Amino acid sequence: MKPFTYERATSPAAAAAAVAQRPGAKFIAGGTNLLDLMKLEIEAPDHLIDVQDLKLDQVEETDDGGLRIGALVSNTALSAHPRVRRDYGVLSRAIVAGASGQLRNKATTAGNLLQRTRCPYFYDTNQPCNKRRPGSGCAAIGGYSRQLGVIGTSASCIATYPGDMAVALRVLDATVETVDAAGLTRSIPIAEFHRLWGTTPHIETNLARGELITGVTLPKPIGGQHFYHKVRDRASYAFALVSVAAVVQPDGTGRVAIGGIAPKPWRVEAAEAAMPQGARAVATRLLADAKPTQDNAFKIPLTERTLASVLAQAKA
Ligand code: SF4
């Protein structure tokens, strides 16, 4: 690990300003992803701004009946919160499906959104990787790509966004709240938070340099039955090959987003109109532009089958 300096931030705007002013600086909170990346020298910040004292660890009711989740609320606390369990079950289930109990105790809401891909070549510093070193190439294209993306990928990168929580947030139409170095706040719809890779896979979100996530807002509850089905290679502590977050209403309409297949939680609102017709009709529209590799073509039928299982459970 490369040497670095460290400070504890005293306010969100001061933290944002500190990172904005220093190119090698990064925020740290739970550190469940960043520290691993630093040990491998995939991330090598020369200065860490610890935001854990910023009192962003509350879940509060909003005026319209929704919830505002502080950026530092732990994954464990959020998944167990009574309002989340009652009104946003898809979110609670998605969080519990991720990582391990120890990691969820330490991981934060903001950090979960910002976790980086688990493409094996991204972690192997002997391999070319446009995400780790822009312009160096992509070892996964033409390499082993079983876990990688089938849609929304590019000629520069075929990795996936690895998280579970954000897939549920996409179904719930959450909004990410931020503050920048000037103290200005903004709200970013979750649909616009993560980027497709294009030619710049090292830029993963639409956050500006130094912009700090302060919270996530959920709109008022939409009712319905909530599901998060995650298919993976072992029963726990594994990333999704395919995951389905869905809210299904009594008349068979609803919302669905897919994890494990794209650079961001994959939701196509126009496809949801086909939910009453069944999983094949939805999956055909959701995955119309898919470009799987030979190794990961199985994710196309797996998506349809996982969605079929959700819709059958909803019907039952
Ligand atoms: Fe790197 Fe993306 Fe290629 Fe993986 S798929 S090696 S993360 S550029």
Side-chain angles (χ1 to χ4, degrees), residues 4-232:
F4 59 90
T5 51
Y6 170 90
E7 71 177 270
R8 295 182 87 94
T10 52
S11 76
V19 168
Q21 284 159 15
R22 189 164 170 168
K26 280 193 93 81
F27 303 119
I28 187 167
T32 56
N33 192 200
L34 180 60
L35 290 177
D36 285 346
L37 294 168
M38 287 172 67
K39 288 174 193 167
L40 293 167
E41 297 189 359
I42 294 165
E43 297 259 18
D46 63 16
H47 188 63
L48 290 180
I49 317 273
D50 190 334
V51 296
Q52 289 184 95
D53 294 340
L54 295 185
K55 299 186 173 46
L56 300 171
D57 58 353
Q58 299 298 312
V59 179
E60 299 160 318
E61 308 261 346
T62 59
D63 293 342
D64 70 351
L67 285 184
R68 187 179 187 285
I69 303 157
L72 296 171
V73 174
S74 76
N75 290 180
T76 297
L78 184 57
S79 65
H81 191 280
R83 275 288 315 275
V84 175
R85 287 171 59 109
R86 191 187 75 195
D87 294 330
Y88 305 98
V90 63
L91 177 58
S92 184
R93 290 180 186 123
I95 293 171
V96 170
S100 66
Q102 287 168 314
L103 285 166
R104 292 193 296 269
N105 287 343
K106 195 70 188 150
T108 63
T109 300
N112 195 323
L113 285 172
L114 295 173
Q115 62 181 301
R116 306 202 66 190
T117 189
R118 264 62 177 189
C119 170
Y121 299 104
F122 177 67
Y123 286 83
D124 183 347
T125 51
N126 294 311
Q127 298 288 338
C129 171
N130 287 322
K131 186 180 284 298
R132 178 169 25 79
R133 195 147 48 87
S136 63
C138 171
I141 296 175
Y144 182 63
S145 53
R146 179 174 177 273
Q147 294 174 312
L148 303 183
V150 299
I151 195 163
T153 53
S154 74
S156 298
C157 180
I158 59 171
T160 58
Y161 170 76
D164 296 294
M165 185 190 80
V167 187
L169 293 179
R170 182 70 179 89
V171 153
L172 295 170
D173 282 335
T175 304
V176 182
E177 314 291 344
T178 70
V179 65
D180 70 9
L184 298 174
T185 60
R186 74 167 171 146
S187 301
I188 308 170
I190 188 74
E192 295 164 23
F193 182 79
H194 295 103
R195 293 162 56 102
L196 297 182
W197 305 141
T199 57
T200 54
H202 58 294
I203 305 173
E204 298 176 344
T205 71
N206 283 314
L207 291 174
R209 172 86 198 149
E211 191 171 7
L212 176 71
I213 298 173
T214 54
V216 171
T217 301
L218 302 178
K220 67 181 179 187
I222 56 170
Q225 296 182 76
H226 289 219
F227 299 91
Y228 191 75
H229 282 204
K230 179 175 179 178
V231 182
R232 47 191 157 173

